[in-house]
Short mmCIF file of all heavy atoms in Angstrom, two decimals:
data_model
loop_
_atom_site.label_atom_id
_atom_site.label_comp_id
_atom_site.label_asym_id
_atom_site.label_seq_id
_atom_site.Cartn_x
_atom_site.Cartn_y
_atom_site.Cartn_z
N MET B 892 -12.02 12.39 2.63
CA MET B 892 -11.84 10.95 2.60
C MET B 892 -12.61 10.36 3.78
O MET B 892 -12.50 10.84 4.91
CB MET B 892 -10.35 10.62 2.70
CG MET B 892 -10.03 9.17 2.47
SD MET B 892 -8.27 8.81 2.45
CE MET B 892 -7.93 9.00 0.72
N GLN B 893 -13.36 9.31 3.51
CA GLN B 893 -14.17 8.69 4.55
C GLN B 893 -13.29 7.94 5.54
O GLN B 893 -12.15 7.57 5.24
CB GLN B 893 -15.15 7.71 3.92
CG GLN B 893 -16.16 8.36 3.00
CD GLN B 893 -17.02 7.33 2.31
OE1 GLN B 893 -16.84 6.13 2.48
NE2 GLN B 893 -17.97 7.79 1.51
N LYS B 894 -13.84 7.70 6.72
CA LYS B 894 -13.09 7.01 7.76
C LYS B 894 -12.69 5.60 7.31
O LYS B 894 -11.59 5.13 7.63
CB LYS B 894 -13.92 6.93 9.03
CG LYS B 894 -13.16 6.37 10.22
CD LYS B 894 -14.01 6.33 11.46
CE LYS B 894 -14.11 7.73 12.02
NZ LYS B 894 -14.72 7.79 13.35
N PHE B 895 -13.54 4.95 6.55
CA PHE B 895 -13.25 3.61 6.03
C PHE B 895 -11.99 3.61 5.18
O PHE B 895 -11.13 2.74 5.32
CB PHE B 895 -14.46 3.14 5.20
CG PHE B 895 -14.29 1.79 4.57
CD1 PHE B 895 -14.37 0.65 5.34
CD2 PHE B 895 -14.04 1.68 3.22
CE1 PHE B 895 -14.22 -0.60 4.76
CE2 PHE B 895 -13.88 0.44 2.63
CZ PHE B 895 -13.98 -0.71 3.41
N TYR B 896 -11.86 4.59 4.32
CA TYR B 896 -10.69 4.69 3.45
C TYR B 896 -9.45 5.09 4.25
O TYR B 896 -8.34 4.65 3.94
CB TYR B 896 -10.92 5.68 2.33
CG TYR B 896 -12.00 5.25 1.36
CD1 TYR B 896 -13.03 6.11 1.01
CD2 TYR B 896 -11.99 3.99 0.79
CE1 TYR B 896 -14.03 5.72 0.13
CE2 TYR B 896 -12.97 3.58 -0.08
CZ TYR B 896 -13.99 4.45 -0.42
OH TYR B 896 -14.96 4.05 -1.28
N LYS B 897 -9.62 5.92 5.27
CA LYS B 897 -8.49 6.34 6.09
C LYS B 897 -7.89 5.16 6.85
O LYS B 897 -6.68 5.07 7.01
CB LYS B 897 -8.91 7.43 7.06
CG LYS B 897 -9.16 8.76 6.40
CD LYS B 897 -9.59 9.80 7.41
CE LYS B 897 -9.92 11.09 6.72
NZ LYS B 897 -10.40 12.12 7.66
N VAL B 898 -8.74 4.26 7.31
CA VAL B 898 -8.26 3.07 8.02
C VAL B 898 -7.39 2.23 7.11
O VAL B 898 -6.29 1.81 7.47
CB VAL B 898 -9.44 2.24 8.58
CG1 VAL B 898 -8.98 0.89 9.08
CG2 VAL B 898 -10.16 3.01 9.67
N PHE B 899 -7.86 1.98 5.90
CA PHE B 899 -7.07 1.18 4.96
C PHE B 899 -5.82 1.92 4.49
O PHE B 899 -4.80 1.29 4.22
CB PHE B 899 -7.92 0.74 3.77
CG PHE B 899 -8.76 -0.46 4.08
CD1 PHE B 899 -10.10 -0.33 4.36
CD2 PHE B 899 -8.19 -1.72 4.12
CE1 PHE B 899 -10.87 -1.43 4.67
CE2 PHE B 899 -8.94 -2.83 4.42
CZ PHE B 899 -10.29 -2.70 4.70
N LEU B 900 -5.88 3.23 4.40
CA LEU B 900 -4.71 4.01 4.06
C LEU B 900 -3.60 3.81 5.10
O LEU B 900 -2.44 3.56 4.76
CB LEU B 900 -5.07 5.49 3.95
CG LEU B 900 -3.94 6.46 3.64
CD1 LEU B 900 -3.42 6.22 2.23
CD2 LEU B 900 -4.42 7.88 3.80
N ILE B 901 -3.98 3.87 6.36
CA ILE B 901 -3.01 3.67 7.43
C ILE B 901 -2.47 2.24 7.40
O ILE B 901 -1.26 2.03 7.57
CB ILE B 901 -3.65 4.00 8.79
CG1 ILE B 901 -3.93 5.50 8.88
CG2 ILE B 901 -2.77 3.54 9.95
CD1 ILE B 901 -4.78 5.91 10.05
N ILE B 902 -3.33 1.26 7.18
CA ILE B 902 -2.90 -0.13 7.14
C ILE B 902 -1.90 -0.35 6.01
O ILE B 902 -0.85 -0.98 6.21
CB ILE B 902 -4.11 -1.08 6.99
CG1 ILE B 902 -4.91 -1.10 8.29
CG2 ILE B 902 -3.65 -2.50 6.63
CD1 ILE B 902 -6.22 -1.82 8.19
N PHE B 903 -2.19 0.16 4.82
CA PHE B 903 -1.28 -0.02 3.68
C PHE B 903 0.06 0.68 3.93
O PHE B 903 1.11 0.13 3.60
CB PHE B 903 -1.91 0.49 2.39
CG PHE B 903 -2.96 -0.41 1.82
CD1 PHE B 903 -4.17 0.08 1.41
CD2 PHE B 903 -2.72 -1.76 1.68
CE1 PHE B 903 -5.14 -0.74 0.87
CE2 PHE B 903 -3.69 -2.61 1.14
CZ PHE B 903 -4.90 -2.09 0.74
N ILE B 904 0.04 1.86 4.50
CA ILE B 904 1.29 2.58 4.77
C ILE B 904 2.13 1.84 5.81
O ILE B 904 3.35 1.73 5.66
CB ILE B 904 0.99 4.03 5.21
CG1 ILE B 904 0.47 4.82 4.01
CG2 ILE B 904 2.23 4.70 5.78
CD1 ILE B 904 0.00 6.20 4.33
N VAL B 905 1.49 1.29 6.83
CA VAL B 905 2.22 0.54 7.85
C VAL B 905 2.82 -0.73 7.24
O VAL B 905 3.98 -1.07 7.52
CB VAL B 905 1.30 0.21 9.05
CG1 VAL B 905 1.91 -0.82 9.97
CG2 VAL B 905 0.96 1.47 9.81
N VAL B 906 2.06 -1.43 6.41
CA VAL B 906 2.58 -2.65 5.77
C VAL B 906 3.78 -2.32 4.89
O VAL B 906 4.79 -3.04 4.92
CB VAL B 906 1.46 -3.35 4.97
CG1 VAL B 906 2.02 -4.40 4.03
CG2 VAL B 906 0.45 -3.96 5.89
N ILE B 907 3.69 -1.26 4.13
CA ILE B 907 4.81 -0.86 3.26
C ILE B 907 6.02 -0.49 4.11
O ILE B 907 7.15 -0.90 3.81
CB ILE B 907 4.39 0.31 2.34
CG1 ILE B 907 3.38 -0.18 1.31
CG2 ILE B 907 5.59 0.91 1.64
CD1 ILE B 907 2.73 0.93 0.50
N ALA B 908 5.82 0.25 5.18
CA ALA B 908 6.93 0.67 6.03
C ALA B 908 7.61 -0.52 6.70
O ALA B 908 8.85 -0.59 6.75
CB ALA B 908 6.44 1.65 7.08
N ILE B 909 6.84 -1.47 7.19
CA ILE B 909 7.41 -2.66 7.83
C ILE B 909 8.23 -3.46 6.83
O ILE B 909 9.33 -3.94 7.15
CB ILE B 909 6.30 -3.51 8.46
CG1 ILE B 909 5.72 -2.81 9.69
CG2 ILE B 909 6.82 -4.90 8.84
CD1 ILE B 909 4.49 -3.46 10.25
N ASN B 910 7.74 -3.60 5.62
CA ASN B 910 8.46 -4.38 4.62
C ASN B 910 9.71 -3.67 4.11
O ASN B 910 10.70 -4.32 3.80
CB ASN B 910 7.53 -4.75 3.46
CG ASN B 910 6.57 -5.83 3.86
OD1 ASN B 910 6.98 -6.89 4.30
ND2 ASN B 910 5.29 -5.55 3.73
N ILE B 911 9.68 -2.35 4.04
CA ILE B 911 10.89 -1.62 3.66
C ILE B 911 11.95 -1.79 4.76
O ILE B 911 13.13 -1.96 4.47
CB ILE B 911 10.57 -0.13 3.41
CG1 ILE B 911 9.81 0.01 2.09
CG2 ILE B 911 11.84 0.70 3.37
CD1 ILE B 911 9.33 1.42 1.80
N TYR B 912 11.51 -1.78 6.01
CA TYR B 912 12.44 -1.97 7.12
C TYR B 912 13.03 -3.39 7.11
O TYR B 912 14.19 -3.59 7.48
CB TYR B 912 11.72 -1.71 8.44
CG TYR B 912 12.58 -1.92 9.65
CD1 TYR B 912 13.55 -0.99 10.00
CD2 TYR B 912 12.44 -3.05 10.45
CE1 TYR B 912 14.35 -1.16 11.11
CE2 TYR B 912 13.24 -3.25 11.55
CZ TYR B 912 14.19 -2.31 11.88
OH TYR B 912 14.98 -2.49 12.97
N ALA B 913 12.24 -4.38 6.68
CA ALA B 913 12.66 -5.78 6.74
C ALA B 913 13.61 -6.18 5.60
O ALA B 913 14.25 -7.22 5.69
CB ALA B 913 11.44 -6.69 6.73
N ILE B 914 13.69 -5.38 4.56
CA ILE B 914 14.56 -5.73 3.43
C ILE B 914 16.02 -5.69 3.86
O ILE B 914 16.45 -4.79 4.58
CB ILE B 914 14.33 -4.76 2.25
CG1 ILE B 914 12.99 -5.04 1.59
CG2 ILE B 914 15.43 -4.88 1.21
CD1 ILE B 914 12.66 -4.12 0.44
N ASP B 915 16.77 -6.70 3.42
CA ASP B 915 18.21 -6.74 3.66
C ASP B 915 18.88 -5.92 2.57
O ASP B 915 18.98 -6.35 1.43
CB ASP B 915 18.70 -8.19 3.63
CG ASP B 915 20.19 -8.29 3.92
OD1 ASP B 915 20.76 -7.32 4.45
OD2 ASP B 915 20.77 -9.34 3.60
N TRP B 916 19.35 -4.73 2.92
CA TRP B 916 19.89 -3.81 1.94
C TRP B 916 21.30 -4.17 1.49
O TRP B 916 21.81 -3.61 0.53
CB TRP B 916 19.86 -2.38 2.47
CG TRP B 916 18.46 -1.90 2.67
CD1 TRP B 916 17.80 -1.80 3.85
CD2 TRP B 916 17.53 -1.49 1.65
NE1 TRP B 916 16.51 -1.35 3.64
CE2 TRP B 916 16.32 -1.15 2.30
CE3 TRP B 916 17.60 -1.39 0.27
CZ2 TRP B 916 15.20 -0.71 1.60
CZ3 TRP B 916 16.48 -0.94 -0.42
CH2 TRP B 916 15.30 -0.62 0.24
N HIS B 917 21.94 -5.11 2.19
CA HIS B 917 23.30 -5.51 1.82
C HIS B 917 23.31 -6.55 0.70
O HIS B 917 24.35 -6.78 0.10
CB HIS B 917 24.05 -6.04 3.03
CG HIS B 917 24.22 -5.01 4.10
ND1 HIS B 917 25.03 -3.91 3.94
CD2 HIS B 917 23.66 -4.88 5.32
CE1 HIS B 917 24.97 -3.16 5.03
NE2 HIS B 917 24.13 -3.72 5.88
N SER B 918 22.19 -7.19 0.46
CA SER B 918 22.10 -8.13 -0.66
C SER B 918 21.25 -7.51 -1.76
O SER B 918 20.69 -6.42 -1.60
CB SER B 918 21.50 -9.45 -0.20
OG SER B 918 20.17 -9.26 0.25
N GLU B 919 21.16 -8.21 -2.87
CA GLU B 919 20.39 -7.67 -4.01
C GLU B 919 18.90 -7.65 -3.70
O GLU B 919 18.39 -8.48 -2.96
CB GLU B 919 20.64 -8.53 -5.24
CG GLU B 919 22.06 -8.52 -5.74
CD GLU B 919 22.23 -9.38 -6.97
OE1 GLU B 919 21.21 -9.72 -7.60
OE2 GLU B 919 23.37 -9.71 -7.28
N ILE B 920 18.22 -6.70 -4.32
CA ILE B 920 16.78 -6.59 -4.14
C ILE B 920 16.08 -7.83 -4.70
O ILE B 920 15.08 -8.30 -4.15
CB ILE B 920 16.25 -5.31 -4.84
CG1 ILE B 920 16.64 -4.07 -4.04
CG2 ILE B 920 14.74 -5.33 -5.01
CD1 ILE B 920 15.96 -3.94 -2.70
N SER B 921 16.61 -8.38 -5.77
CA SER B 921 15.97 -9.53 -6.40
C SER B 921 16.41 -10.87 -5.81
O SER B 921 16.11 -11.92 -6.38
CB SER B 921 16.26 -9.52 -7.90
OG SER B 921 17.66 -9.61 -8.13
N SER B 922 17.08 -10.85 -4.66
CA SER B 922 17.48 -12.11 -4.03
C SER B 922 16.24 -12.81 -3.47
O SER B 922 15.20 -12.20 -3.24
CB SER B 922 18.51 -11.87 -2.94
OG SER B 922 17.91 -11.23 -1.83
N GLU B 923 16.41 -14.09 -3.24
CA GLU B 923 15.27 -14.90 -2.81
C GLU B 923 14.74 -14.44 -1.44
O GLU B 923 13.52 -14.47 -1.21
CB GLU B 923 15.70 -16.36 -2.73
CG GLU B 923 14.58 -17.32 -2.44
CD GLU B 923 15.03 -18.76 -2.48
OE1 GLU B 923 16.07 -19.05 -3.08
OE2 GLU B 923 14.32 -19.59 -1.89
N ASP B 924 15.63 -14.02 -0.56
CA ASP B 924 15.21 -13.57 0.77
C ASP B 924 14.40 -12.27 0.71
O ASP B 924 13.49 -12.07 1.50
CB ASP B 924 16.42 -13.36 1.66
CG ASP B 924 17.17 -14.65 1.93
OD1 ASP B 924 16.53 -15.72 1.85
OD2 ASP B 924 18.38 -14.59 2.21
N ASN B 925 14.75 -11.39 -0.21
CA ASN B 925 14.08 -10.10 -0.30
C ASN B 925 12.81 -10.11 -1.14
O ASN B 925 12.01 -9.19 -1.04
CB ASN B 925 15.04 -9.05 -0.86
CG ASN B 925 16.06 -8.61 0.15
OD1 ASN B 925 15.84 -8.72 1.35
ND2 ASN B 925 17.18 -8.10 -0.32
N MET B 926 12.63 -11.12 -1.97
CA MET B 926 11.49 -11.10 -2.91
C MET B 926 10.14 -11.08 -2.19
O MET B 926 9.20 -10.45 -2.65
CB MET B 926 11.57 -12.26 -3.88
CG MET B 926 12.54 -12.02 -5.02
SD MET B 926 12.34 -10.44 -5.85
CE MET B 926 10.77 -10.66 -6.64
N LYS B 927 10.03 -11.77 -1.05
CA LYS B 927 8.75 -11.77 -0.35
C LYS B 927 8.41 -10.36 0.17
O LYS B 927 7.25 -9.96 0.18
CB LYS B 927 8.73 -12.78 0.78
CG LYS B 927 9.76 -12.58 1.84
CD LYS B 927 9.72 -13.71 2.85
CE LYS B 927 10.91 -13.59 3.79
NZ LYS B 927 10.96 -14.72 4.70
N TYR B 928 9.43 -9.60 0.55
CA TYR B 928 9.19 -8.24 1.00
C TYR B 928 8.89 -7.31 -0.17
O TYR B 928 8.03 -6.43 -0.06
CB TYR B 928 10.40 -7.72 1.78
CG TYR B 928 10.73 -8.57 2.98
CD1 TYR B 928 11.96 -9.18 3.10
CD2 TYR B 928 9.80 -8.78 3.99
CE1 TYR B 928 12.27 -9.98 4.20
CE2 TYR B 928 10.09 -9.57 5.09
CZ TYR B 928 11.33 -10.16 5.18
OH TYR B 928 11.62 -10.95 6.26
N VAL B 929 9.58 -7.51 -1.26
CA VAL B 929 9.35 -6.68 -2.45
C VAL B 929 7.95 -6.91 -2.99
O VAL B 929 7.24 -5.95 -3.33
CB VAL B 929 10.42 -6.96 -3.52
CG1 VAL B 929 10.08 -6.27 -4.83
CG2 VAL B 929 11.80 -6.54 -3.04
N ILE B 930 7.52 -8.16 -3.04
CA ILE B 930 6.16 -8.47 -3.52
C ILE B 930 5.12 -7.86 -2.58
O ILE B 930 4.11 -7.30 -3.03
CB ILE B 930 5.98 -9.99 -3.66
CG1 ILE B 930 6.83 -10.49 -4.83
CG2 ILE B 930 4.51 -10.35 -3.86
CD1 ILE B 930 6.88 -11.99 -4.96
N SER B 931 5.37 -7.90 -1.28
CA SER B 931 4.44 -7.31 -0.33
C SER B 931 4.37 -5.79 -0.47
O SER B 931 3.30 -5.19 -0.36
CB SER B 931 4.85 -7.69 1.08
OG SER B 931 3.95 -7.19 2.02
N ILE B 932 5.52 -5.16 -0.74
CA ILE B 932 5.54 -3.71 -0.96
C ILE B 932 4.77 -3.36 -2.23
O ILE B 932 3.98 -2.40 -2.24
CB ILE B 932 6.99 -3.19 -1.05
CG1 ILE B 932 7.67 -3.28 0.31
CG2 ILE B 932 7.04 -1.76 -1.57
CD1 ILE B 932 9.15 -3.04 0.28
N ILE B 933 4.95 -4.14 -3.28
CA ILE B 933 4.23 -3.90 -4.53
C ILE B 933 2.72 -4.04 -4.30
O ILE B 933 1.93 -3.23 -4.80
CB ILE B 933 4.73 -4.83 -5.63
CG1 ILE B 933 6.16 -4.46 -6.02
CG2 ILE B 933 3.81 -4.79 -6.85
CD1 ILE B 933 6.85 -5.46 -6.92
N CYS B 934 2.31 -5.06 -3.54
CA CYS B 934 0.89 -5.23 -3.24
C CYS B 934 0.34 -4.06 -2.42
O CYS B 934 -0.79 -3.62 -2.64
CB CYS B 934 0.67 -6.54 -2.50
SG CYS B 934 0.94 -7.99 -3.52
N GLY B 935 1.14 -3.55 -1.50
CA GLY B 935 0.72 -2.38 -0.72
C GLY B 935 0.55 -1.15 -1.58
O GLY B 935 -0.40 -0.39 -1.42
N VAL B 936 1.45 -0.96 -2.54
CA VAL B 936 1.35 0.20 -3.45
C VAL B 936 0.13 0.05 -4.35
O VAL B 936 -0.60 1.02 -4.59
CB VAL B 936 2.65 0.35 -4.27
CG1 VAL B 936 2.48 1.37 -5.37
CG2 VAL B 936 3.80 0.72 -3.36
N ILE B 937 -0.12 -1.16 -4.84
CA ILE B 937 -1.32 -1.40 -5.65
C ILE B 937 -2.57 -1.14 -4.81
O ILE B 937 -3.54 -0.56 -5.29
CB ILE B 937 -1.31 -2.82 -6.24
CG1 ILE B 937 -0.21 -2.94 -7.30
CG2 ILE B 937 -2.67 -3.19 -6.83
CD1 ILE B 937 0.03 -4.36 -7.78
N GLY B 938 -2.54 -1.55 -3.54
CA GLY B 938 -3.66 -1.30 -2.64
C GLY B 938 -3.91 0.18 -2.44
O GLY B 938 -5.05 0.64 -2.42
N LEU B 939 -2.82 0.97 -2.30
CA LEU B 939 -2.98 2.41 -2.19
C LEU B 939 -3.59 3.01 -3.45
O LEU B 939 -4.46 3.88 -3.38
CB LEU B 939 -1.62 3.07 -1.92
CG LEU B 939 -1.04 2.94 -0.53
CD1 LEU B 939 0.37 3.50 -0.49
CD2 LEU B 939 -1.91 3.63 0.48
N PHE B 940 -3.14 2.54 -4.60
CA PHE B 940 -3.67 3.01 -5.87
C PHE B 940 -5.16 2.71 -5.98
O PHE B 940 -5.96 3.60 -6.34
CB PHE B 940 -2.88 2.36 -7.01
CG PHE B 940 -3.28 2.82 -8.38
CD1 PHE B 940 -3.01 4.11 -8.80
CD2 PHE B 940 -3.93 1.96 -9.25
CE1 PHE B 940 -3.37 4.53 -10.06
CE2 PHE B 940 -4.30 2.38 -10.50
CZ PHE B 940 -4.02 3.66 -10.91
N VAL B 941 -5.56 1.50 -5.64
CA VAL B 941 -6.98 1.13 -5.69
C VAL B 941 -7.78 1.93 -4.67
O VAL B 941 -8.92 2.33 -4.94
CB VAL B 941 -7.13 -0.39 -5.46
CG1 VAL B 941 -8.57 -0.78 -5.26
CG2 VAL B 941 -6.54 -1.17 -6.62
N LEU B 942 -7.20 2.18 -3.51
CA LEU B 942 -7.87 2.97 -2.49
C LEU B 942 -8.18 4.37 -2.98
O LEU B 942 -9.29 4.87 -2.80
CB LEU B 942 -6.99 3.03 -1.24
CG LEU B 942 -7.54 3.78 -0.05
CD1 LEU B 942 -8.60 2.93 0.63
CD2 LEU B 942 -6.42 4.12 0.91
N PHE B 943 -7.22 5.01 -3.64
CA PHE B 943 -7.47 6.36 -4.15
C PHE B 943 -8.46 6.35 -5.31
O PHE B 943 -9.25 7.28 -5.47
CB PHE B 943 -6.16 7.03 -4.55
CG PHE B 943 -5.37 7.51 -3.37
CD1 PHE B 943 -4.15 6.94 -3.06
CD2 PHE B 943 -5.86 8.51 -2.56
CE1 PHE B 943 -3.43 7.37 -1.96
CE2 PHE B 943 -5.15 8.96 -1.46
CZ PHE B 943 -3.93 8.38 -1.16
N ILE B 944 -8.46 5.30 -6.12
CA ILE B 944 -9.47 5.18 -7.18
C ILE B 944 -10.86 5.05 -6.58
O ILE B 944 -11.81 5.71 -7.02
CB ILE B 944 -9.15 3.99 -8.10
CG1 ILE B 944 -7.92 4.31 -8.95
CG2 ILE B 944 -10.33 3.65 -9.00
CD1 ILE B 944 -7.44 3.14 -9.78
N MET B 945 -11.01 4.19 -5.57
CA MET B 945 -12.31 4.02 -4.93
C MET B 945 -12.77 5.31 -4.26
O MET B 945 -13.97 5.65 -4.30
CB MET B 945 -12.24 2.88 -3.91
CG MET B 945 -12.12 1.52 -4.54
SD MET B 945 -11.88 0.20 -3.34
CE MET B 945 -13.26 0.40 -2.26
N ASN B 946 -11.86 6.05 -3.65
CA ASN B 946 -12.21 7.32 -3.03
C ASN B 946 -12.69 8.32 -4.09
O ASN B 946 -13.67 9.04 -3.88
CB ASN B 946 -11.01 7.87 -2.26
CG ASN B 946 -11.35 9.14 -1.51
OD1 ASN B 946 -12.44 9.26 -0.96
ND2 ASN B 946 -10.44 10.07 -1.50
N THR B 947 -12.01 8.36 -5.22
CA THR B 947 -12.41 9.26 -6.29
C THR B 947 -13.77 8.88 -6.85
O THR B 947 -14.61 9.75 -7.08
CB THR B 947 -11.36 9.24 -7.42
OG1 THR B 947 -10.08 9.57 -6.86
CG2 THR B 947 -11.70 10.23 -8.50
N TRP B 948 -13.99 7.59 -7.04
CA TRP B 948 -15.29 7.14 -7.55
C TRP B 948 -16.41 7.46 -6.56
O TRP B 948 -17.54 7.79 -6.97
CB TRP B 948 -15.28 5.65 -7.81
CG TRP B 948 -14.61 5.27 -9.10
CD1 TRP B 948 -14.17 6.09 -10.08
CD2 TRP B 948 -14.28 3.95 -9.51
NE1 TRP B 948 -13.60 5.37 -11.08
CE2 TRP B 948 -13.66 4.05 -10.77
CE3 TRP B 948 -14.46 2.70 -8.96
CZ2 TRP B 948 -13.21 2.95 -11.47
CZ3 TRP B 948 -14.01 1.59 -9.66
CH2 TRP B 948 -13.39 1.74 -10.90
N SER B 949 -16.14 7.37 -5.26
CA SER B 949 -17.19 7.69 -4.29
C SER B 949 -17.51 9.17 -4.30
O SER B 949 -18.64 9.57 -4.07
CB SER B 949 -16.77 7.26 -2.89
OG SER B 949 -15.71 8.06 -2.40
N LYS B 950 -16.51 10.02 -4.59
CA LYS B 950 -16.76 11.45 -4.69
C LYS B 950 -17.55 11.80 -5.94
O LYS B 950 -18.36 12.72 -5.95
CB LYS B 950 -15.45 12.23 -4.69
CG LYS B 950 -14.76 12.26 -3.36
CD LYS B 950 -13.48 13.04 -3.43
CE LYS B 950 -12.76 13.06 -2.11
NZ LYS B 950 -11.48 13.79 -2.19
N ILE B 951 -17.31 11.07 -7.03
CA ILE B 951 -18.02 11.33 -8.28
C ILE B 951 -19.50 10.95 -8.14
O ILE B 951 -20.37 11.64 -8.65
CB ILE B 951 -17.37 10.53 -9.45
CG1 ILE B 951 -16.01 11.11 -9.75
CG2 ILE B 951 -18.26 10.54 -10.67
CD1 ILE B 951 -15.21 10.29 -10.75
N GLY B 952 -19.78 9.88 -7.39
CA GLY B 952 -21.15 9.40 -7.27
C GLY B 952 -22.01 10.20 -6.32
O GLY B 952 -23.23 10.05 -6.31
N VAL B 953 -21.43 11.08 -5.52
CA VAL B 953 -22.20 11.86 -4.56
C VAL B 953 -22.92 13.00 -5.29
O VAL B 953 -22.32 13.75 -6.04
CB VAL B 953 -21.28 12.44 -3.47
CG1 VAL B 953 -22.04 13.38 -2.55
CG2 VAL B 953 -20.63 11.32 -2.68
N LYS B 954 -24.23 13.10 -5.03
CA LYS B 954 -25.00 14.20 -5.64
C LYS B 954 -24.86 15.44 -4.77
O LYS B 954 -24.92 15.38 -3.54
CB LYS B 954 -26.47 13.80 -5.74
CG LYS B 954 -26.71 12.69 -6.71
CD LYS B 954 -28.19 12.38 -6.81
CE LYS B 954 -28.41 11.26 -7.81
NZ LYS B 954 -29.82 10.92 -7.92
N LYS B 955 -24.71 16.58 -5.41
CA LYS B 955 -24.56 17.83 -4.67
C LYS B 955 -25.87 18.56 -4.54
O LYS B 955 -26.74 18.52 -5.27
CB LYS B 955 -23.54 18.72 -5.36
CG LYS B 955 -22.16 18.13 -5.28
CD LYS B 955 -21.16 19.06 -5.90
CE LYS B 955 -19.76 18.46 -5.75
NZ LYS B 955 -18.75 19.31 -6.31
#
């Protein structure tokens, strides 16, 4: 994995971890206060998915 992808991997993991910590676990996940954190976690997971797709595509394009 290239350094560029590793930087974004760390950023996405940190964002997901911060938002999981910020969720109020005593109320419902779908409450209005928690939705901003849930949406941010979902965006972080989508970012991780796209990151691994881009990494795979960069490996496919490299000539051996």
Side-chain angles (χ1 to χ4, degrees):
M892 189 175 269
Q893 297 175 357
K894 187 179 283 190
F895 178 75
Y896 295 129
K897 288 180 184 177
V898 169
F899 279 102
L900 177 68
I901 292 169
I902 289 171
F903 284 132
I904 290 174
V905 167
V906 166
I907 291 171
I909 289 171
N910 286 304
I911 287 175
Y912 179 75
I914 287 179
D915 182 17
W916 294 103
H917 297 291
S918 63
E919 296 181 17
I920 287 292
S921 61
S922 70
E923 187 176 339
D924 295 335
N925 285 337
M926 281 311 292
K927 60 184 172 185
Y928 302 120
V929 171
I930 290 172
S931 183
I932 291 169
I933 292 170
C934 291
V936 170
I937 291 171
L939 285 173
F940 183 69
V941 170
L942 181 76
F943 284 114
I944 289 174
M945 289 175 55
N946 184 39
T947 304
W948 281 352
S949 69
K950 288 180 181 178
I951 291 172
V953 174
K954 293 183 179 179
K955 293 183 178 180

